Amino acid sequence: MPKALAFHGRGSSPENILWLIQPLQETGHEVVAPQIRDVEDGYETGLKELPVAIAAGHSMGGTVALLLAAKNPGAVGCVVAIAAPVDRRLQLQYMLQSGDPYLNKLANELAALGNKLEQTSPSRFIGSGMPPVLYIRGTKDRVVPRTQIDILAGLSDKFNFPLEVVEIENMGHSPQTPEHQKAIADAIKRFIAHCSQDRRK
């Protein structure tokens, strides 16, 4: 049975991303969903599980999934990133300028990372060995801006790896309704089917 990694977001837990884990299981994958503290911890945890067919994650967890694929060419078959910062320095700037107290608090935590912020930004490491990526985002996400997709799209053009972007209408930073969860599951299942076909060619 092929293996998939699923990473939760900041301050969350594996139990809170069943909407991500279940479609991975339904496509015939054994899912490993570790508890992680931050991007650095998630990366180190994920390294021990490589190689994997899929690395997936929500928000901070999506950053981990992208980072694992970017820094370990050939060890990740494809990536599913949901509302994930691709460039963490850009994410910090966005949060600082938002005027939102919650985002300002998160910005202070990010700023405290100093150089580690760049060392844990997937955008710095993505290259020609990047596998196919599915990026899912809600149109009403106020935590991670759409410019993160633009960065990933630019890297996809530069390094010629497949990128599929799915934007879910009226969804915020995470899926809050059964309809949003179904839209995510359907997108994941379609993407994995394509990835599996490509690997068999």
Side-chain angles (χ1 to χ4, degrees):
M1 185 180 287
K3 184 163 64 173
L5 279 167
F7 297 101
H8 61 80
R10 176 191 171 278
S12 187
S13 68
E15 292 74 27
N16 287 334
I17 55 163
L18 293 179
W19 50 267
L20 171 57
I21 293 169
Q22 284 170 350
L24 297 174
Q25 290 174 330
E26 287 167 10
T27 53
H29 291 79
E30 174 197 353
V31 180
V32 177
Q35 181 77 43
I36 60 173
R37 295 186 303 274
D38 51 33
V39 173
E40 191 174 31
D41 176 53
Y43 178 79
E44 293 300 325
T45 301
L47 266 184
K48 297 169 188 169
E49 300 291 341
L50 296 183
V52 294
I54 304 162
H58 172 242
S59 194
M60 174 187 79
T63 301
V64 173
L66 288 164
L67 194 63
L68 275 170
K71 294 184 75 172
N72 301 279
V76 176
C78 56
V79 177
V80 176
I82 299 146
V86 181
D87 183 325
R88 300 186 81 201
R89 286 198 179 280
L90 185 73
Q91 180 66 22
L92 172 59
Q93 291 169 8
Y94 168 78
M95 287 177 163
L96 286 171
Q97 295 164 2
S98 70
D100 181 290
Y102 172 68
L103 293 186
N104 287 160
K105 179 177 179 290
L106 290 182
N108 289 333
E109 292 177 13
L110 281 182
L113 292 175
N115 288 337
K116 280 188 180 179
L117 204 58
E118 192 170 335
Q119 296 295 329
T120 52
S121 282
S123 59
R124 184 174 176 216
F125 301 99
I126 288 173
S128 55
M130 195 68 179
V133 177
L134 168 64
Y135 192 104
I136 301 173
R137 179 182 182 274
T139 59
K140 293 192 173 177
D141 188 347
R142 292 184 175 86
V143 177
V144 177
R146 198 186 186 284
T147 47
Q148 296 286 347
I149 294 178
D150 299 334
I151 291 165
L152 195 55
L155 291 165
S156 170
D157 290 342
K158 182 177 180 181
F159 295 111
N160 198 32
F161 63 88
L163 170 64
E164 180 183 346
V165 175
V166 172
E167 294 194 79
I168 298 175
E169 285 297 320
N170 297 316
M171 187 177 92
H173 187 57
S174 58
Q176 300 296 327
T177 69
E179 291 76 18
H180 293 159
Q181 294 182 6
K182 183 179 185 302
I184 288 174
D186 289 347
I188 289 172
K189 289 175 184 178
R190 283 195 307 270
F191 176 71
I192 290 174
H194 291 154
C195 278
S196 299
Q197 286 172 2
D198 290 344
R199 280 201 295 271
R200 285 196 292 267
K201 285 179 182 175

